[in-house]
Amino acid sequence: MSRRKKFSGVQLKALRKEAGYTQGELALRVGISRETVSAIENEKPETMNSIGVEVISKWWAVCRQKASEQTRESFFSTVMDYFGFNHT
């Protein structure tokens, strides 16, 4: 059984903040509620277990242009780990 790395709400929160969005602004752009953004960032188990790749993809699409190179590399590494790809 493959063990995948989960997305970190803390990492997603840092990405949002680095991009300069409030929870409400990001929620509107991603198409989820501000409460869901908050639950993700606070790593509420029921939300983290149900978070879909589509939400992560939209979150990234909204924030990536304002993200630093280090943040982009870190996020890429997380995505590769999540899908079980080696990226050595």
Side-chain angles (χ1 to χ4, degrees):
M1 183 165 110
S2 171
R3 294 182 61 170
R4 295 190 313 189
K5 180 177 179 180
K6 293 190 178 199
F7 284 94
S8 162
V10 173
Q11 182 183 29
L12 292 170
K13 180 179 184 176
L15 175 61
R16 173 187 61 80
K17 287 185 157 207
E18 185 176 320
Y21 294 112
T22 66
Q23 287 181 339
E25 290 168 335
L26 182 72
L28 284 172
R29 286 173 167 78
V30 173
I32 58 178
S33 71
R34 190 207 57 79
E35 292 79 8
T36 300
V37 171
S38 177
I40 291 168
E41 291 181 351
N42 290 300
E43 298 187 331
K44 300 290 184 190
E46 62 277 3
T47 304
M48 294 307 289
N49 290 336
S50 65
I51 190 173
V53 173
E54 181 179 339
V55 169
I56 300 296
S57 177
K58 287 181 181 179
W59 194 302
W60 177 242
V62 168
C63 297
R64 74 174 172 235
Q65 292 181 339
K66 296 182 180 182
S68 69
E69 183 176 346
Q70 181 179 0
T71 298
R72 290 192 305 269
E73 289 172 1
S74 174
F75 195 85
F76 178 76
S77 177
T78 300
V79 169
M80 296 299 281
D81 288 347
Y82 180 83
F83 288 107
F85 296 113
N86 283 332
H87 54 93
T88 55

